[in-house]
Amino acid sequence: AMGSWAAAPWRLGGCGGLHRAWRRAGSSLAGGGERAARLSDLLRSSERDGAPGEEAAAAGTVLLFPGQGSHFVGMGRGLLRYPGVRDMYRLAEKVLGYDLLSLCLEGPRAELDRTQHCQPAVFVASLAAVEKLNHRQPDVLESCVAAAGYSVGEFAALVFAGAMDFAEALYAVKVRAEAMQKASEAVPSGMLSVIGRPEANYKFACLEARRHCELLGIENPVCEISNYLFPDSRVIAGHLQALKFLQENARKYYFTRTKMLPVSGAFHTRLMEPAVEPLAEVLKCTEIQKPLICVYSNVDSKKYMHSKHIQKLLVKQIVSPVLWEQTMHSVYERKQGTEFPYTYEVGPGKQLGAVLKKCNLKAWRQYSHVDVSEDEEIFQNLLT
């Protein structure tokens, strides 16, 4: 019966609880901050709150947390009316040392696009979207059985699941984002989104692109699959010369579409090695507990087991491909005839919903998105 109280730490501690914990801890983040809620409180709160809605409780709910690239200027504007959200952004300003909210609302776009700003922005906006969902449909959180996050989204998923404290996780995201930004500036590299025909051999194409780079005089060239999105779709990352070679030879490798992603480096490849140590160091000082609901790892598409496991895989994730397609199979695998859970994408963009549709159409039919802009609120006000 875990589902009935699994998401309660988020409701109970909310941001107010985290904010108080932050004040008690002074501003020392390493190992500081009390956990927002304890198990006995969670159980009591779930009894008090009553049973979740019948529909959501039937098959449970799943929350998906987006990653870098889903951001846009104006995100978060539609969330500020919900309790605790402004507190989250105030706390974020203390942790980060700059005004994240005004950067999200007003830009400039070029600054928000920078990895060091973009990752914390998506992390906070996603958890603010959870506050909105809690305010509008608390039964969705009460009946949540699983969560998964795409790349940096894993940190938000783990905070939601009660495994990490909001402020400490945000500090870890800050360190991760700055280290990844620095690593990406060291080598001209990038990421190429590819859709291929069934006969496409991505690994062979990467091998030939690396050989091409060697002929150009690049030592130890990198060109490898960095993200498995859905059947016939991959992201390939590495040296820019390798990606250019793949675009120019797309037909030869049965690629039907290639598109460079608007990111600064080859994330989730060994070009991110310099970012490993800084993140490992900060996670050593971060209190991590076993998640209260199932959270799936990008590294192996399996459930996180315990705190040391989380610590190890979050570090490994920086230099490992994101197995998102495999994770979707793990999350939605069920016996024939079993109902699919209701899925909510919490945070900017609807990319994870689009990917889910390609991975599992039946699961996607129960999907909805928790918007972080103000458009839907304006629209609803016009109707009322």
Side-chain angles (χ1 to χ4, degrees), residues 182-190 218 222 238-241 264-266 271:
K182 195 173 171 190
S184 66
E185 286 165 1
V187 178
S189 54
I218 296 168
V222 172
H239 282 84
L240 284 180
Q241 294 93 328
S264 57
L271 286 176

Side-chain angles (χ1 to χ4, degrees), residues 228-229 300-301 322-331 359:
Y228 291 80
L229 294 175
D300 61 8
S301 73
V322 173
L323 305 185
W324 192 255
E325 181 186 340
Q326 297 86 331
T327 301
M328 291 300 91
H329 291 314
S330 298
V331 171
C359 285

Side-chain angles (χ1 to χ4, degrees), residues 147-167:
Y150 191 95
S151 192
V152 73
E154 282 207 70
F155 287 83
L158 287 162
V159 170
F160 169 69
M164 296 171 87
D165 170 84
F166 172 84

Side-chain angles (χ1 to χ4, degrees), residues 22 29 91-98 100 114-124 152 155 164 166-182 275 278-279 282-283 286 318:
W22 159 268
L29 280 161
L91 179 49
E93 187 172 353
K94 288 183 180 175
V95 175
L96 299 169
Y98 59 87
L100 181 70
R114 287 174 67 79
T115 295
Q116 67 191 70
H117 298 139
C118 171
Q119 290 187 21
V122 171
F123 170 87
V124 176
V152 73
F155 287 83
M164 296 171 87
F166 172 84
E168 290 188 13
L170 176 57
Y171 186 68
V173 166
K174 173 186 190 285
V175 169
R176 177 188 190 267
E178 287 169 355
M180 287 173 76
Q181 173 91 38
K182 195 173 171 190
L279 181 61
V282 77
L283 287 176
T286 305
I318 289 186

Side-chain angles (χ1 to χ4, degrees), residues 168-347:
E168 290 188 13
L170 176 57
Y171 186 68
V173 166
K174 173 186 190 285
V175 169
R176 177 188 190 267
E178 287 169 355
M180 287 173 76
Q181 173 91 38
K182 195 173 171 190
S184 66
E185 286 165 1
V187 178
S189 54
M191 303 179 83
L192 181 72
S193 174
V194 176
I195 292 178
R197 299 207 333 237
E199 58 267 44
N201 184 333
Y202 302 94
K203 288 187 175 168
F204 175 68
C206 289
L207 175 67
E208 294 220 319
R210 288 196 299 272
R211 282 183 183 149
H212 169 75
C213 285
E214 282 167 356
L215 292 173
L216 295 176
I218 296 168
E219 282 184 42
N220 296 321
V222 172
C223 182
E224 57 201 55
I225 297 170
S226 62
N227 306 67
Y228 291 80
L229 294 175
F230 53 86
D232 302 326
S233 177
R234 306 279 183 273
V235 176
I236 294 173
H239 282 84
L240 284 180
Q241 294 93 328
L243 304 182
K244 186 168 181 259
F245 172 83
L246 290 178
Q247 283 184 294
E248 287 167 359
N249 294 277
R251 288 183 68 178
K252 178 185 172 184
Y253 299 116
Y254 301 104
F255 297 166
T256 52
R257 207 172 85 206
T258 61
K259 184 187 173 194
M260 287 297 291
L261 296 181
V263 295
S264 57
F267 302 146
H268 304 290
T269 71
R270 62 181 170 84
L271 286 176
M272 289 294 114
E273 282 285 355
V276 165
E277 197 53 38
L279 181 61
E281 285 303 310
V282 77
L283 287 176
K284 276 182 200 163
C285 307
T286 305
E287 190 187 350
I288 302 175
Q289 295 190 14
K290 184 177 175 172
L292 296 167
I293 55 170
C294 298
V295 179
Y296 291 80
S297 165
N298 287 179
V299 173
D300 61 8
S301 73
K302 296 188 174 90
K303 296 169 194 170
Y304 280 117
M305 303 309 292
H306 50 79
S307 59
K308 281 275 176 265
H309 189 221
I310 293 170
Q311 190 179 326
K312 183 182 161 191
L313 290 188
L314 283 178
V315 173
K316 195 176 176 186
Q317 188 228 58
I318 289 186
V319 289
S320 305
V322 173
L323 305 185
W324 192 255
E325 181 186 340
Q326 297 86 331
T327 301
M328 291 300 91
H329 291 314
S330 298
V331 171
Y332 296 102
E333 194 176 26
R334 58 227 323 104
K335 291 191 185 83
Q336 211 167 354
T338 313
E339 275 188 75
F340 279 93
Y342 284 76
T343 298
Y344 295 83
E345 183 171 354
V346 278

